[in-house]
Short mmCIF file of all heavy atoms in Angstrom, two decimals:
data_model
loop_
_atom_site.label_atom_id
_atom_site.label_comp_id
_atom_site.label_asym_id
_atom_site.label_seq_id
_atom_site.Cartn_x
_atom_site.Cartn_y
_atom_site.Cartn_z
N THR A 508 -49.94 132.92 -8.01
CA THR A 508 -50.17 131.53 -7.62
C THR A 508 -49.13 130.59 -8.21
O THR A 508 -49.14 129.39 -7.92
CB THR A 508 -51.56 131.06 -8.08
OG1 THR A 508 -51.61 131.05 -9.52
CG2 THR A 508 -52.64 132.00 -7.56
N GLY A 509 -48.28 131.12 -9.08
CA GLY A 509 -47.29 130.27 -9.73
C GLY A 509 -47.84 129.55 -10.94
O GLY A 509 -47.14 128.73 -11.55
N ALA A 510 -49.08 129.86 -11.32
CA ALA A 510 -49.69 129.20 -12.48
C ALA A 510 -49.17 129.82 -13.77
O ALA A 510 -48.74 130.98 -13.80
CB ALA A 510 -51.21 129.31 -12.42
N ALA A 511 -49.22 129.05 -14.82
CA ALA A 511 -48.77 129.54 -16.12
C ALA A 511 -49.81 130.47 -16.72
O ALA A 511 -51.01 130.21 -16.65
CB ALA A 511 -48.53 128.36 -17.07
N LEU A 512 -49.35 131.57 -17.28
CA LEU A 512 -50.24 132.55 -17.90
C LEU A 512 -50.51 132.17 -19.34
O LEU A 512 -49.60 131.87 -20.11
CB LEU A 512 -49.61 133.94 -17.85
CG LEU A 512 -50.34 135.06 -18.60
CD1 LEU A 512 -51.72 135.29 -18.01
CD2 LEU A 512 -49.52 136.34 -18.57
N SER A 513 -51.77 132.17 -19.71
CA SER A 513 -52.13 131.86 -21.09
C SER A 513 -51.63 132.97 -22.01
O SER A 513 -51.82 134.15 -21.75
CB SER A 513 -53.66 131.74 -21.23
OG SER A 513 -54.01 131.68 -22.60
N ASN A 514 -50.96 132.58 -23.07
CA ASN A 514 -50.52 133.55 -24.08
C ASN A 514 -51.27 133.34 -25.38
O ASN A 514 -50.74 133.53 -26.47
CB ASN A 514 -49.01 133.45 -24.30
CG ASN A 514 -48.58 132.05 -24.74
OD1 ASN A 514 -49.40 131.13 -24.77
ND2 ASN A 514 -47.31 131.90 -25.06
N ALA A 515 -52.53 132.93 -25.25
CA ALA A 515 -53.38 132.70 -26.42
C ALA A 515 -53.47 133.97 -27.26
O ALA A 515 -53.55 135.07 -26.73
CB ALA A 515 -54.77 132.25 -25.99
N ILE A 516 -53.48 133.79 -28.57
CA ILE A 516 -53.47 134.95 -29.46
C ILE A 516 -54.74 135.77 -29.33
O ILE A 516 -54.73 136.99 -29.46
CB ILE A 516 -53.26 134.48 -30.92
CG1 ILE A 516 -52.93 135.67 -31.81
CG2 ILE A 516 -54.43 133.68 -31.43
CD1 ILE A 516 -52.46 135.28 -33.19
N CYS A 517 -55.88 135.11 -29.06
CA CYS A 517 -57.14 135.78 -28.82
C CYS A 517 -58.11 134.75 -28.25
O CYS A 517 -57.74 133.59 -28.03
CB CYS A 517 -57.71 136.41 -30.11
SG CYS A 517 -58.31 135.19 -31.29
N GLU A 518 -59.35 135.16 -28.03
CA GLU A 518 -60.32 134.25 -27.42
C GLU A 518 -60.74 133.12 -28.35
O GLU A 518 -61.34 132.14 -27.91
CB GLU A 518 -61.55 135.03 -26.98
CG GLU A 518 -62.33 135.68 -28.12
CD GLU A 518 -63.45 136.56 -27.63
OE1 GLU A 518 -64.56 136.05 -27.45
OE2 GLU A 518 -63.20 137.77 -27.40
N HIS A 519 -60.43 133.23 -29.64
CA HIS A 519 -60.85 132.21 -30.59
C HIS A 519 -59.83 131.08 -30.75
O HIS A 519 -60.15 130.03 -31.31
CB HIS A 519 -61.14 132.84 -31.95
CG HIS A 519 -62.20 133.88 -31.90
ND1 HIS A 519 -61.92 135.23 -31.92
CD2 HIS A 519 -63.54 133.78 -31.77
CE1 HIS A 519 -63.05 135.90 -31.84
NE2 HIS A 519 -64.04 135.06 -31.74
N PHE A 520 -58.60 131.31 -30.28
CA PHE A 520 -57.57 130.29 -30.34
C PHE A 520 -56.88 130.19 -28.99
O PHE A 520 -56.38 131.20 -28.48
CB PHE A 520 -56.52 130.62 -31.41
CG PHE A 520 -56.99 130.44 -32.82
CD1 PHE A 520 -57.45 131.53 -33.55
CD2 PHE A 520 -56.97 129.20 -33.42
CE1 PHE A 520 -57.88 131.38 -34.85
CE2 PHE A 520 -57.41 129.04 -34.74
CZ PHE A 520 -57.86 130.12 -35.45
N ASP A 521 -56.86 129.01 -28.43
CA ASP A 521 -56.14 128.79 -27.18
C ASP A 521 -54.68 128.47 -27.46
O ASP A 521 -54.10 127.55 -26.90
CB ASP A 521 -56.80 127.65 -26.40
CG ASP A 521 -56.29 127.57 -24.96
OD1 ASP A 521 -55.80 128.60 -24.46
OD2 ASP A 521 -56.38 126.48 -24.36
N LEU A 522 -54.10 129.23 -28.38
CA LEU A 522 -52.73 129.02 -28.82
C LEU A 522 -52.05 130.38 -28.97
O LEU A 522 -52.69 131.37 -29.33
CB LEU A 522 -52.69 128.30 -30.18
CG LEU A 522 -53.33 126.91 -30.30
CD1 LEU A 522 -53.42 126.51 -31.76
CD2 LEU A 522 -52.55 125.88 -29.51
N SER A 523 -50.75 130.42 -28.71
CA SER A 523 -49.99 131.62 -29.02
C SER A 523 -49.76 131.66 -30.52
O SER A 523 -50.03 130.69 -31.25
CB SER A 523 -48.64 131.58 -28.30
OG SER A 523 -47.84 130.52 -28.80
N ARG A 524 -49.23 132.78 -31.01
CA ARG A 524 -48.95 132.83 -32.45
C ARG A 524 -47.94 131.77 -32.83
O ARG A 524 -48.05 131.11 -33.87
CB ARG A 524 -48.42 134.21 -32.85
CG ARG A 524 -48.14 134.28 -34.36
CD ARG A 524 -47.24 135.43 -34.76
NE ARG A 524 -46.91 135.35 -36.17
CZ ARG A 524 -45.91 134.61 -36.66
NH1 ARG A 524 -45.14 133.91 -35.84
NH2 ARG A 524 -45.67 134.57 -37.96
N ARG A 525 -46.94 131.58 -31.99
CA ARG A 525 -45.92 130.56 -32.29
C ARG A 525 -46.56 129.17 -32.35
O ARG A 525 -46.26 128.38 -33.26
CB ARG A 525 -44.83 130.59 -31.23
CG ARG A 525 -43.76 129.53 -31.42
CD ARG A 525 -42.63 129.68 -30.43
NE ARG A 525 -41.57 128.69 -30.66
CZ ARG A 525 -40.40 128.71 -30.05
NH1 ARG A 525 -40.12 129.66 -29.17
NH2 ARG A 525 -39.50 127.78 -30.31
N GLN A 526 -47.41 128.85 -31.39
CA GLN A 526 -48.07 127.54 -31.39
C GLN A 526 -49.00 127.40 -32.59
O GLN A 526 -49.09 126.32 -33.20
CB GLN A 526 -48.86 127.36 -30.09
CG GLN A 526 -47.98 127.25 -28.85
CD GLN A 526 -48.78 127.34 -27.57
OE1 GLN A 526 -49.81 128.02 -27.52
NE2 GLN A 526 -48.31 126.67 -26.52
N LEU A 527 -49.68 128.50 -32.95
CA LEU A 527 -50.58 128.46 -34.10
C LEU A 527 -49.78 128.26 -35.39
O LEU A 527 -50.20 127.50 -36.28
CB LEU A 527 -51.38 129.76 -34.17
CG LEU A 527 -52.50 129.83 -35.21
CD1 LEU A 527 -53.51 128.72 -35.01
CD2 LEU A 527 -53.20 131.19 -35.15
N PHE A 528 -48.62 128.90 -35.47
CA PHE A 528 -47.75 128.72 -36.62
C PHE A 528 -47.36 127.25 -36.77
O PHE A 528 -47.45 126.66 -37.85
CB PHE A 528 -46.50 129.59 -36.47
CG PHE A 528 -45.61 129.63 -37.69
CD1 PHE A 528 -45.67 130.69 -38.57
CD2 PHE A 528 -44.72 128.60 -37.95
CE1 PHE A 528 -44.86 130.73 -39.70
CE2 PHE A 528 -43.90 128.63 -39.07
CZ PHE A 528 -43.97 129.70 -39.94
N ASP A 529 -46.94 126.64 -35.66
CA ASP A 529 -46.54 125.24 -35.69
C ASP A 529 -47.71 124.33 -36.03
O ASP A 529 -47.57 123.34 -36.76
CB ASP A 529 -45.94 124.82 -34.34
CG ASP A 529 -44.58 125.45 -34.09
OD1 ASP A 529 -43.93 125.85 -35.08
OD2 ASP A 529 -44.17 125.55 -32.93
N ALA A 530 -48.91 124.67 -35.49
CA ALA A 530 -50.09 123.85 -35.76
C ALA A 530 -50.43 123.85 -37.24
O ALA A 530 -50.76 122.80 -37.83
CB ALA A 530 -51.28 124.35 -34.94
N VAL A 531 -50.36 125.02 -37.87
CA VAL A 531 -50.65 125.11 -39.30
C VAL A 531 -49.58 124.40 -40.11
O VAL A 531 -49.86 123.68 -41.08
CB VAL A 531 -50.78 126.58 -39.73
CG1 VAL A 531 -50.99 126.69 -41.24
CG2 VAL A 531 -51.93 127.26 -39.00
N ARG A 532 -48.32 124.58 -39.71
CA ARG A 532 -47.20 123.95 -40.44
C ARG A 532 -47.30 122.42 -40.41
O ARG A 532 -47.12 121.75 -41.42
CB ARG A 532 -45.88 124.42 -39.84
CG ARG A 532 -44.64 123.86 -40.54
CD ARG A 532 -43.41 124.66 -40.19
NE ARG A 532 -43.11 124.60 -38.78
CZ ARG A 532 -42.23 123.75 -38.23
NH1 ARG A 532 -41.59 122.88 -38.99
NH2 ARG A 532 -41.99 123.78 -36.94
N VAL A 533 -47.60 121.87 -39.24
CA VAL A 533 -47.66 120.41 -39.10
C VAL A 533 -48.91 119.83 -39.76
O VAL A 533 -48.87 118.79 -40.40
CB VAL A 533 -47.59 120.01 -37.61
CG1 VAL A 533 -47.84 118.53 -37.45
CG2 VAL A 533 -46.25 120.40 -37.02
N SER A 534 -50.06 120.54 -39.59
CA SER A 534 -51.32 120.01 -40.10
C SER A 534 -51.45 120.13 -41.60
O SER A 534 -52.20 119.38 -42.24
CB SER A 534 -52.50 120.73 -39.44
OG SER A 534 -52.55 122.09 -39.85
N GLY A 535 -50.76 121.10 -42.20
CA GLY A 535 -50.86 121.32 -43.63
C GLY A 535 -52.14 122.00 -44.06
O GLY A 535 -52.45 122.04 -45.26
N LEU A 536 -52.91 122.56 -43.13
CA LEU A 536 -54.14 123.25 -43.48
C LEU A 536 -53.83 124.54 -44.23
O LEU A 536 -52.81 125.19 -43.96
CB LEU A 536 -54.95 123.55 -42.22
CG LEU A 536 -55.39 122.31 -41.40
CD1 LEU A 536 -56.11 122.74 -40.13
CD2 LEU A 536 -56.29 121.42 -42.24
N THR A 537 -54.72 124.92 -45.13
CA THR A 537 -54.40 126.04 -46.02
C THR A 537 -55.39 127.19 -45.98
O THR A 537 -55.21 128.18 -46.69
CB THR A 537 -54.32 125.54 -47.48
OG1 THR A 537 -55.60 124.99 -47.85
CG2 THR A 537 -53.24 124.48 -47.63
N THR A 538 -56.47 127.09 -45.19
CA THR A 538 -57.45 128.16 -45.12
C THR A 538 -57.80 128.48 -43.68
O THR A 538 -57.64 127.64 -42.78
CB THR A 538 -58.76 127.79 -45.85
OG1 THR A 538 -59.38 126.68 -45.17
CG2 THR A 538 -58.50 127.43 -47.30
N PHE A 539 -58.28 129.70 -43.48
CA PHE A 539 -58.67 130.12 -42.13
C PHE A 539 -59.79 129.26 -41.59
O PHE A 539 -59.76 128.85 -40.42
CB PHE A 539 -59.10 131.59 -42.15
CG PHE A 539 -59.55 132.10 -40.80
CD1 PHE A 539 -58.64 132.54 -39.87
CD2 PHE A 539 -60.90 132.12 -40.46
CE1 PHE A 539 -59.04 133.00 -38.62
CE2 PHE A 539 -61.31 132.56 -39.23
CZ PHE A 539 -60.38 133.01 -38.31
N SER A 540 -60.80 128.98 -42.40
CA SER A 540 -61.94 128.20 -41.93
C SER A 540 -61.51 126.81 -41.47
O SER A 540 -62.01 126.29 -40.47
CB SER A 540 -63.02 128.11 -43.00
OG SER A 540 -62.50 127.52 -44.18
N ALA A 541 -60.58 126.21 -42.21
CA ALA A 541 -60.10 124.88 -41.81
C ALA A 541 -59.31 124.95 -40.52
O ALA A 541 -59.43 124.07 -39.65
CB ALA A 541 -59.25 124.29 -42.93
N VAL A 542 -58.50 125.99 -40.37
CA VAL A 542 -57.68 126.12 -39.17
C VAL A 542 -58.54 126.38 -37.94
O VAL A 542 -58.36 125.76 -36.89
CB VAL A 542 -56.64 127.25 -39.35
CG1 VAL A 542 -55.89 127.50 -38.04
CG2 VAL A 542 -55.65 126.89 -40.45
N ILE A 543 -59.51 127.29 -38.05
CA ILE A 543 -60.32 127.61 -36.87
C ILE A 543 -61.26 126.46 -36.53
O ILE A 543 -61.58 126.24 -35.36
CB ILE A 543 -61.10 128.94 -37.08
CG1 ILE A 543 -61.53 129.49 -35.72
CG2 ILE A 543 -62.30 128.75 -37.99
CD1 ILE A 543 -62.05 130.91 -35.77
N GLU A 544 -61.67 125.70 -37.52
CA GLU A 544 -62.51 124.54 -37.24
C GLU A 544 -61.75 123.49 -36.45
O GLU A 544 -62.30 122.86 -35.54
CB GLU A 544 -63.02 123.93 -38.55
CG GLU A 544 -63.92 122.72 -38.34
CD GLU A 544 -64.43 122.13 -39.64
OE1 GLU A 544 -64.11 122.70 -40.71
OE2 GLU A 544 -65.14 121.12 -39.59
N ARG A 545 -60.47 123.33 -36.76
CA ARG A 545 -59.67 122.29 -36.09
C ARG A 545 -59.05 122.76 -34.79
O ARG A 545 -59.01 122.02 -33.81
CB ARG A 545 -58.59 121.78 -37.04
CG ARG A 545 -57.73 120.68 -36.41
CD ARG A 545 -56.92 119.97 -37.45
NE ARG A 545 -56.01 119.00 -36.85
CZ ARG A 545 -55.16 118.25 -37.53
NH1 ARG A 545 -55.11 118.34 -38.84
NH2 ARG A 545 -54.35 117.42 -36.90
N PHE A 546 -58.56 123.99 -34.78
CA PHE A 546 -57.79 124.45 -33.63
C PHE A 546 -58.45 125.56 -32.81
O PHE A 546 -57.96 125.93 -31.75
CB PHE A 546 -56.41 124.96 -34.08
CG PHE A 546 -55.58 123.91 -34.75
CD1 PHE A 546 -55.31 124.01 -36.11
CD2 PHE A 546 -55.08 122.84 -34.05
CE1 PHE A 546 -54.54 123.05 -36.76
CE2 PHE A 546 -54.31 121.87 -34.68
CZ PHE A 546 -54.04 121.97 -36.04
N GLY A 547 -59.56 126.12 -33.29
CA GLY A 547 -60.15 127.26 -32.60
C GLY A 547 -61.65 127.11 -32.42
O GLY A 547 -62.22 126.04 -32.56
N THR A 548 -62.28 128.25 -32.10
CA THR A 548 -63.73 128.31 -31.93
C THR A 548 -64.24 129.61 -32.53
O THR A 548 -63.49 130.57 -32.71
CB THR A 548 -64.12 128.26 -30.44
OG1 THR A 548 -63.51 129.39 -29.76
CG2 THR A 548 -63.68 126.97 -29.79
N GLY A 549 -65.55 129.66 -32.80
CA GLY A 549 -66.17 130.89 -33.28
C GLY A 549 -65.80 131.21 -34.70
O GLY A 549 -65.43 130.33 -35.50
N ARG A 550 -65.85 132.52 -35.02
CA ARG A 550 -65.65 132.98 -36.40
C ARG A 550 -64.39 133.80 -36.57
O ARG A 550 -64.13 134.30 -37.65
CB ARG A 550 -66.86 133.79 -36.84
CG ARG A 550 -68.18 133.02 -36.77
CD ARG A 550 -69.34 133.88 -37.21
NE ARG A 550 -70.60 133.14 -37.13
CZ ARG A 550 -71.78 133.66 -37.44
NH1 ARG A 550 -71.85 134.91 -37.84
NH2 ARG A 550 -72.88 132.93 -37.34
N GLY A 551 -63.63 133.98 -35.50
CA GLY A 551 -62.42 134.77 -35.60
C GLY A 551 -62.68 136.24 -35.37
O GLY A 551 -63.81 136.68 -35.19
N CYS A 552 -61.60 137.03 -35.35
CA CYS A 552 -61.70 138.47 -35.05
C CYS A 552 -60.59 139.21 -35.77
O CYS A 552 -59.79 138.62 -36.51
CB CYS A 552 -61.61 138.69 -33.54
SG CYS A 552 -60.03 138.16 -32.81
N ASP A 553 -60.53 140.53 -35.53
CA ASP A 553 -59.53 141.34 -36.23
C ASP A 553 -58.14 141.17 -35.64
O ASP A 553 -57.20 141.84 -36.08
CB ASP A 553 -59.94 142.82 -36.21
CG ASP A 553 -60.15 143.36 -34.81
OD1 ASP A 553 -59.95 142.62 -33.84
OD2 ASP A 553 -60.51 144.54 -34.69
N ILE A 554 -57.99 140.31 -34.66
CA ILE A 554 -56.67 139.98 -34.13
C ILE A 554 -56.15 138.71 -34.79
O ILE A 554 -55.06 138.68 -35.36
CB ILE A 554 -56.70 139.81 -32.60
CG1 ILE A 554 -57.03 141.14 -31.92
CG2 ILE A 554 -55.37 139.26 -32.08
CD1 ILE A 554 -57.20 141.04 -30.43
N CYS A 555 -56.95 137.64 -34.73
CA CYS A 555 -56.46 136.36 -35.23
C CYS A 555 -56.50 136.26 -36.76
O CYS A 555 -55.68 135.54 -37.35
CB CYS A 555 -57.22 135.20 -34.60
SG CYS A 555 -59.00 135.17 -34.93
N LYS A 556 -57.41 136.97 -37.40
CA LYS A 556 -57.50 136.84 -38.86
C LYS A 556 -56.25 137.36 -39.58
O LYS A 556 -55.64 136.64 -40.38
CB LYS A 556 -58.76 137.53 -39.37
CG LYS A 556 -60.04 136.76 -39.08
CD LYS A 556 -61.26 137.47 -39.66
CE LYS A 556 -62.52 136.65 -39.44
NZ LYS A 556 -63.72 137.32 -40.00
N PRO A 557 -55.80 138.61 -39.33
CA PRO A 557 -54.57 139.06 -40.00
C PRO A 557 -53.35 138.24 -39.58
O PRO A 557 -52.45 138.01 -40.39
CB PRO A 557 -54.44 140.52 -39.56
CG PRO A 557 -55.80 140.93 -39.15
CD PRO A 557 -56.43 139.71 -38.56
N ALA A 558 -53.31 137.81 -38.30
CA ALA A 558 -52.17 137.00 -37.84
C ALA A 558 -52.10 135.69 -38.60
O ALA A 558 -51.03 135.26 -39.04
CB ALA A 558 -52.29 136.75 -36.34
N LEU A 559 -53.25 135.05 -38.78
CA LEU A 559 -53.26 133.79 -39.52
C LEU A 559 -53.02 134.02 -41.01
O LEU A 559 -52.42 133.17 -41.69
CB LEU A 559 -54.59 133.06 -39.29
CG LEU A 559 -54.64 131.60 -39.74
CD1 LEU A 559 -53.49 130.81 -39.14
CD2 LEU A 559 -55.96 130.97 -39.35
N ALA A 560 -53.47 135.15 -41.51
CA ALA A 560 -53.17 135.48 -42.91
C ALA A 560 -51.67 135.55 -43.14
O ALA A 560 -51.15 135.06 -44.16
CB ALA A 560 -53.82 136.81 -43.29
N SER A 561 -50.94 136.13 -42.20
CA SER A 561 -49.49 136.21 -42.30
C SER A 561 -48.87 134.82 -42.24
O SER A 561 -47.95 134.49 -43.01
CB SER A 561 -48.94 137.09 -41.18
OG SER A 561 -47.53 137.09 -41.17
N ILE A 562 -49.37 133.98 -41.34
CA ILE A 562 -48.86 132.62 -41.21
C ILE A 562 -49.08 131.83 -42.50
O ILE A 562 -48.18 131.14 -43.01
CB ILE A 562 -49.52 131.91 -40.02
CG1 ILE A 562 -49.07 132.55 -38.70
CG2 ILE A 562 -49.21 130.42 -40.01
CD1 ILE A 562 -49.81 132.07 -37.48
N LEU A 563 -50.29 131.94 -43.06
CA LEU A 563 -50.59 131.22 -44.30
C LEU A 563 -49.75 131.74 -45.47
O LEU A 563 -49.38 130.97 -46.36
CB LEU A 563 -52.08 131.35 -44.61
CG LEU A 563 -53.03 130.62 -43.64
CD1 LEU A 563 -54.48 130.98 -43.94
CD2 LEU A 563 -52.83 129.11 -43.73
N SER A 564 -49.45 133.04 -45.46
CA SER A 564 -48.61 133.59 -46.53
C SER A 564 -47.21 132.98 -46.49
O SER A 564 -46.58 132.78 -47.52
CB SER A 564 -48.52 135.11 -46.40
OG SER A 564 -49.76 135.72 -46.66
N THR A 565 -46.72 132.72 -45.28
CA THR A 565 -45.40 132.11 -45.13
C THR A 565 -45.41 130.63 -45.49
O THR A 565 -44.52 130.14 -46.20
CB THR A 565 -44.89 132.28 -43.69
OG1 THR A 565 -44.82 133.67 -43.37
CG2 THR A 565 -43.51 131.65 -43.52
N LEU A 566 -46.42 129.92 -45.03
CA LEU A 566 -46.43 128.47 -45.18
C LEU A 566 -47.08 127.99 -46.48
O LEU A 566 -46.64 127.03 -47.09
CB LEU A 566 -47.15 127.84 -43.99
CG LEU A 566 -46.47 128.05 -42.63
CD1 LEU A 566 -47.33 127.48 -41.50
CD2 LEU A 566 -45.09 127.42 -42.62
N VAL A 567 -48.16 128.65 -46.89
CA VAL A 567 -48.88 128.23 -48.10
C VAL A 567 -48.38 128.99 -49.32
O VAL A 567 -48.38 128.48 -50.44
CB VAL A 567 -50.39 128.42 -47.92
CG1 VAL A 567 -51.15 127.94 -49.14
CG2 VAL A 567 -50.87 127.66 -46.69
N ARG A 568 -47.97 130.25 -49.07
CA ARG A 568 -47.36 131.09 -50.09
C ARG A 568 -48.28 131.38 -51.27
O ARG A 568 -47.84 131.49 -52.41
CB ARG A 568 -46.05 130.47 -50.58
CG ARG A 568 -44.96 130.44 -49.52
CD ARG A 568 -43.70 129.81 -50.04
NE ARG A 568 -43.84 128.37 -50.27
CZ ARG A 568 -43.75 127.45 -49.32
NH1 ARG A 568 -43.51 127.81 -48.07
NH2 ARG A 568 -43.90 126.17 -49.60
#
Side-chain angles (χ1 to χ4, degrees):
T508 66
L512 173 62
S513 170
N514 58 354
I516 193 169
C517 71
E518 64 186 271
H519 301 103
F520 287 97
D521 192 23
L522 301 169
S523 66
R524 181 198 174 275
R525 177 174 183 171
Q526 292 169 329
L527 187 58
F528 187 100
D529 289 339
V531 176
R532 181 163 62 96
V533 172
S534 67
L536 299 176
T537 61
T538 64
F539 178 83
S540 58
V542 173
I543 199 168
E544 181 179 358
R545 180 165 175 182
F546 299 111
T548 60
R550 302 179 181 180
C552 62
D553 57 2
I554 294 175
C555 61
K556 285 182 176 180
L559 193 52
S561 175
I562 292 172
L563 292 172
S564 293
T565 300
L566 296 175
V567 182
R568 293 180 291 279

